[in-house]
Amino acid sequence: MGTGTSHARKKFTTKEKDANEELTQLLVDSVTYAGFTHLDTAEIYTTEPEVGNAVKRCDVDRSKLWITSKYNSGWDVPGGKPGKPTVPSGPYEALQKSLEKLSLSYLDLYLIHFPFFSPENAEITLEEAWKQMERLVEEGKVRNIGVSNFNVSKLEEVLKIAKIKPQVNQIEYNLYLQNQTPGIVKFCKEKDILVEAYSPLTPIIPSKIKEGGPLDPLIDELTAKYRVTKSQLILRWVYQSGVVAVTTSSSKERLKEYTGMTSFEIEEDDFNKLSEVGSTFNFAGFSVIKNLELKFLTHMDSFLPIMK
């Protein structure tokens, strides 16, 4: 269950500093009604208080929940411009502040949200940031560490110096964005780094694929065959591709629908058809990369905001 996209954007729009009760209740419902166990937040989403409040109110043992947050190395999401990090000293101090907002003693997963570290936007290097991440594991403040929006070369930079390698790389990934950066999913699997997908439902969201996409007829055919919804089919494809989906909704009923993706399996031929047809069309909605060649951008002044 993600808390970015519309949830974070709403808070930015209203300039609301306090926890949003509507989002808190939705998170409670996602756990107690829909059966979600993983809640994903981030420093830049400003939704950590809601996640913390939901954990308190879920009446579920903390050990049964998986809480993820992310360190911002310096990106002004509302304005969409390069900015200074909220916590200049790095992820070690930033995590302390996140734990306070969450009212938790540890995180299950902590990610470096963006791979950009330069004198213009950060006061530490990527190497220094990763060493701080490892210290957090060693001190028991986080159970697992990883990255988000990293391409192969940036992951290689981390792997060269890491005592503890990244366990996760969270990227935009779906049927219309199967290879966000050249070879990234294959590389992660070879290095035993779990890929997490944000925006996994893009192919069936009309506001993104406004004129329809090449998958539409096949999706209609397969939802009828398996007697499932479009969301369930798309999420199942992500799951069967070996990737964890991070998705969201403002409806607890829709969240309940999502969990139905565990009740069936896409046959190999159908899975391959979805993959093949999906690969004929590229669309990046919130990605740090948004060009036809899907090359990873390296300059902060070209960086596209993760929130529209």
Side-chain angles (χ1 to χ4, degrees):
M1 170 64 175
T3 60
T5 58
S6 60
H7 300 304
R9 186 161 58 243
K10 182 177 180 181
K11 291 194 72 176
F12 290 141
T13 302
T14 60
K15 302 185 182 302
E16 183 178 353
K17 300 297 183 182
D18 298 326
N20 181 286
E21 173 58 26
E22 181 181 352
L23 175 55
T24 298
Q25 185 58 50
L26 182 65
L27 290 168
V28 172
D29 290 338
S30 74
V31 174
T32 59
Y33 175 75
F36 280 67
T37 55
H38 179 185
L39 303 180
D40 179 281
T41 184
E43 182 184 343
I44 62 169
Y45 299 165
T46 71
T47 55
E48 290 173 324
E50 286 85 352
V51 171
N53 289 344
V55 171
K56 291 178 188 175
R57 286 161 48 176
C58 279
D59 195 27
V60 174
D61 190 275
R62 170 68 181 91
S63 65
K64 304 297 184 182
L65 296 174
W66 183 282
I67 310 300
T68 296
S69 193
K70 310 176 193 74
Y71 160 68
N72 175 28
S73 62
W75 186 249
D76 175 20
V77 174
K81 300 177 181 179
K84 292 294 183 182
T86 309
V87 184
S89 62
Y92 186 86
E93 183 181 355
L95 186 276
Q96 319 303 320
K97 295 181 181 298
S98 287
L99 289 177
E100 290 176 10
K101 294 174 185 175
L102 289 158
S103 299
L104 297 175
S105 60
Y106 72 93
L107 288 181
D108 297 279
L109 177 64
Y110 194 43
L111 307 178
I112 295 178
H113 208 153
F114 308 110
F116 303 106
F117 287 82
S118 69
E120 291 76 30
N121 79 298
E123 297 184 13
I124 59 172
T125 64
L126 174 56
E127 179 177 352
E128 291 168 339
W130 192 254
K131 293 301 180 184
Q132 290 188 27
M133 297 284 280
E134 292 177 329
R135 181 183 171 193
L136 289 169
V137 175
E138 292 164 354
E139 295 182 5
K141 294 181 172 65
V142 299
R143 301 287 175 85
N144 302 275
I145 50 177
V147 297
S148 182
N149 301 305
F150 274 52
N151 68 345
V152 171
S153 64
K154 288 297 182 181
L155 277 171
E156 287 177 331
E157 284 184 36
V158 174
L159 290 171
K160 285 178 183 177
I161 55 91
K163 291 189 297 181
I164 304 173
K165 74 174 184 180
Q167 277 88 42
V168 167
N169 185 17
Q170 187 179 111
I171 60 175
E172 184 178 8
Y173 175 84
N174 56 66
L175 274 161
Y176 287 151
L177 199 60
Q178 298 178 42
N179 199 23
Q180 181 196 122
T181 64
I184 183 62
V185 175
K186 181 174 182 290
F187 179 85
C188 287
K189 290 182 177 180
E190 289 174 348
K191 298 298 182 181
D192 196 26
I193 297 171
L194 180 66
V195 176
E196 284 187 349
Y198 64 82
S199 298
L201 292 173
T202 289
I204 58 170
I205 298 178
S207 62
K208 294 184 179 182
I209 313 300
K210 296 181 179 179
E211 298 180 3
L215 277 169
D216 288 0
L218 181 57
I219 290 173
D220 289 340
E221 174 190 333
L222 295 180
T223 52
K225 175 179 178 178
Y226 292 102
R227 297 182 180 180
V228 296
T229 67
K230 293 180 180 181
S231 297
Q232 290 167 343
L233 181 73
I234 299 302
L235 290 174
R236 183 70 197 188
W237 178 89
V238 171
Y239 177 75
Q240 286 186 215
S241 70
V243 173
V244 172
V246 178
T247 190
T248 190
S249 175
S250 294
S251 163
K252 72 175 187 178
E253 297 299 334
R254 183 61 60 84
L255 293 174
K256 182 72 171 178
E257 173 193 329
Y258 292 166
T259 59
M261 57 80 69
T262 62
S263 65
F264 74 105
E265 184 173 351
I266 302 172
E267 295 173 6
E268 184 177 358
D269 286 348
D270 293 334
F271 178 89
N272 291 336
K273 286 179 185 176
L274 286 166
S275 302
E276 290 166 8
V277 176
S279 67
T280 66
F281 183 82
N282 286 316
F283 179 86
F286 301 113
S287 182
V288 296
I289 335 155
K290 197 174 183 181
N291 61 11
L292 293 177
E293 295 181 352
L294 300 182
K295 292 181 178 178
F296 201 86
L297 302 176
T298 57
H299 299 291
M300 287 297 292
D301 58 0
S302 300
F303 182 71
L304 295 166
I306 201 164
M307 312 289 293
K308 274 191 174 179

